[in-house]
Amino acid sequence: MTIKALRDQSLPMRHIVHVRNHIISTDGSVEEGGNDAGPSPHDLYDAALSACKALTVVWYARRKNIPLEHVEVSMERDASEERQGTYRLAATLHLSGDLTETQRAELLSAAQKCPVHKLMTSVTTEVTTVLG
């Protein structure tokens, strides 16, 4: 899969990201010199984890016939030590439905095993950057 980020000439930092048939605007915050015309790359990173946890919980509930009605994932970021090598994300699951405590615990466990969580915490990611 190829993902492209193309600069939007109308704003100094804004880029338009193309993923298959989807378009996402990304920009830096005003404090970073951008116009906040979209989420920052860090926001997208954090959002990928939130979305993966939510989708994994819904998939698991459907597969196990758990009566989940709604899931929301709140993500808090602490990047204060990022330059020292630690980037902290704290996810909180908000679940609704006629769920037992056992089912809630199962859904929490499923969320902790989502593919992006695994990717961020237990896989070595190799990145290369070249000129085209």
Side-chain angles (χ1 to χ4, degrees):
M1 173 176 50
T2 300
I3 297 174
K4 294 183 180 183
L6 307 171
R7 182 157 179 257
D8 176 350
Q9 298 296 320
S10 65
L11 295 172
M13 289 181 63
R14 181 177 175 205
H15 281 70
I16 306 302
V17 180
H18 297 260
V19 182
R20 294 186 313 276
N21 294 324
H22 309 286
I23 297 173
I24 304 163
S25 173
T26 185
D27 195 4
S29 66
V30 172
E31 297 80 28
E32 296 169 320
N35 288 76
D36 199 23
S40 73
H42 276 79
D43 295 334
L44 294 173
Y45 182 85
D46 302 353
L49 181 59
S50 298
C52 186
K53 288 185 177 294
L55 291 170
T56 299
V57 166
V58 169
W59 172 84
Y60 185 87
R62 286 182 179 171
R63 188 170 151 244
K64 296 290 187 170
N65 293 316
I66 295 175
L68 177 68
E69 292 176 9
H70 180 76
V71 61
E72 179 180 313
V73 179
S74 301
M75 189 67 65
E76 293 292 325
R77 170 195 313 154
D78 177 357
S80 62
E81 295 179 25
E82 181 180 1
R83 292 191 187 270
Q84 290 78 37
T86 302
Y87 187 77
R88 292 183 178 88
L89 295 174
T92 302
L93 297 181
H94 306 275
L95 308 173
S96 67
D98 189 19
L99 305 169
T100 66
E101 285 306 311
T102 300
Q103 289 169 329
R104 292 174 59 79
E106 274 186 78
L107 295 173
L108 174 60
S109 179
Q112 292 170 329
K113 296 173 186 164
C114 84
V116 172
H117 185 132
K118 287 180 183 178
L119 183 65
M120 290 178 171
T121 60
S122 61
V123 173
T124 299
T125 301
E126 295 181 6
V127 178
T128 59
T129 306
V130 299
L131 294 173

